[in-house]
Amino acid sequence: MDTPGAVERYFAGWIARDAEAVLASLAEDGTYQDPRTGGPVSGAAFRGYMEGLWAAFPDLGFDVGATHVAGPDLIAAEWVMTGTNTGPMMGLPPSGRAVRLEGADFFRVSGDRIASVHGYFDAGAIPRQLGMDVIVQPSAIGPFRFGVSTMVQTGRTDEPVAFAITSLEAIDQDAVQKVRAGSRDSMIDMLSMPGFIGATTATIGTRMVTISAWDDPEAPRRTMREGRHAEVMRGIPDGSFARHGFTSVWVKERVNPVYVRCEACGKMSRGAAPGATCSCGAPLPEPRPFW
């Protein structure tokens, strides 16, 4: 039984960024799992996992430390992974930051190939090093479901006249990441479009919603004809990434006055305009973006 050799071939494949070499070190039904995979993966799924890491960190490297033979078919190996985030990750643009992650893999070996790899590391370490917030929350509690949100603002303080709402249900988490990347690019497009005020997105499981504010109900039509948003929306009718979805424009019926808090006395003033003062005589803060 070539137990150490199988593990050496496995790490050699990772170091060479050669997915086929890594897969060849595994048994035909061999699996890999770590805190980020959501369970054991193999074959094409494992290849995609590796290629995703190499796309995000093209210089990804491993320094393999102590290796321990824990039994006739069990090996434990410590490692340090390093790399620079120069490619997209989790639907976000490259940060250009370097990362360092310590971990350990436990290998079950069958014959001269690996039956399973179970990796252990701090799943929040890389996101934190990339400047991301790491939020621990349940996916659901009773009728409540939880997710993540993003906001983009132009800085305009105009009161919106219309809201455009796009909602879709992605077919899987891979599709979610593709749509998130498309949504980010589409909002970059919107920043240069006349009439755009701001937008907020929410991703809850595979349900994805974007609410954008405009000063003209006709202005959002541009997003359906041009830019990244139009490309993403074409994925709804062809079924390539969405189970269902829709777009819509909602016109304002009524907006109640905005209140502004005086920083001197703490009183809330109704409908404060630029340059306004509080009843106490102190200047009120400048109005903030409505959306």
Side-chain angles (χ1 to χ4, degrees):
M1 178 179 292
D2 186 16
T3 300
V7 173
E8 289 173 4
R9 292 192 297 275
Y10 171 86
F11 279 119
W14 270 103
I15 292 169
R17 294 184 282 281
D18 184 345
E20 295 307 318
V22 174
L23 291 173
S25 70
L26 270 62
E28 186 174 347
D29 58 350
T31 62
Y32 171 87
Q33 67 175 311
D34 67 30
R36 303 291 299 180
T37 62
V41 295
S42 60
F46 187 22
R47 180 186 295 106
Y49 178 82
M50 289 185 280
E51 291 174 348
L53 272 176
W54 293 327
F57 303 93
D59 62 344
L60 192 76
F62 279 91
D63 181 9
V64 183
T67 300
H68 310 276
V69 178
D73 63 349
L74 178 63
I75 286 185
E78 300 174 77
W79 48 261
V80 176
M81 186 187 82
T82 57
T84 307
N85 179 216
T86 56
M89 179 180 176
M90 300 170 63
L92 299 173
S95 67
R97 297 188 182 190
V99 300
R100 183 179 187 277
L101 178 66
E102 297 181 0
D105 287 340
F106 289 79
F107 301 86
R108 290 284 180 186
V109 179
S110 177
D112 61 350
R113 300 173 76 182
I114 297 168
S116 67
V117 186
H118 201 146
Y120 294 88
F121 54 81
D122 178 359
I126 288 181
R128 285 193 295 269
Q129 291 177 55
L130 295 179
M132 301 179 187
D133 290 330
V134 178
I135 301 173
V136 179
Q137 63 184 14
S139 59
I141 298 178
F144 296 92
R145 298 171 64 194
F146 305 93
V148 296
S149 182
T150 303
M151 175 183 289
V152 59
Q153 294 179 315
T154 61
R156 294 178 58 184
T157 58
D158 310 55
E159 186 178 287
V161 172
F163 288 91
I165 300 177
T166 297
S167 177
L168 63 83
E169 187 85 28
I171 57 176
D172 55 28
Q173 285 300 317
D174 183 56
V176 166
Q177 297 306 321
K178 291 178 181 178
V179 175
R180 288 190 68 189
S183 295
R184 182 192 69 239
D185 292 343
S186 69
M187 285 191 286
I188 291 173
D189 291 339
M190 290 179 194
L191 285 169
S192 64
M193 291 183 180
F196 179 65
I197 295 174
T200 300
T201 71
T203 301
I204 304 170
T206 54
R207 174 59 63 91
M208 311 185 74
V209 178
T210 298
I211 304 174
S212 55
W214 304 80
D215 66 10
D216 180 347
E218 292 300 312
R221 291 185 183 278
R222 288 189 59 185
T223 65
M224 300 302 296
R225 299 193 304 265
E226 59 189 76
R228 191 72 172 96
H229 187 270
E231 295 178 22
V232 172
M233 286 300 98
R234 283 194 285 270
I236 292 179
D238 68 23
S240 61
F241 58 73
R243 299 184 188 281
H244 68 81
F246 70 88
T247 62
S248 59
V249 175
W250 302 69
V251 179
K252 178 184 71 176
E253 177 179 320
R254 179 182 68 256
V255 175
N256 294 326
V258 174
Y259 284 78
V260 178
R261 184 178 187 274
C262 175
E263 295 178 354
C265 70
K267 180 181 177 181
M268 296 292 286
S269 295
R270 178 178 178 178
T277 59
C278 176
S279 59
C280 74
L284 289 170
E286 290 295 309
R288 299 190 178 187
F290 189 97
W291 189 254

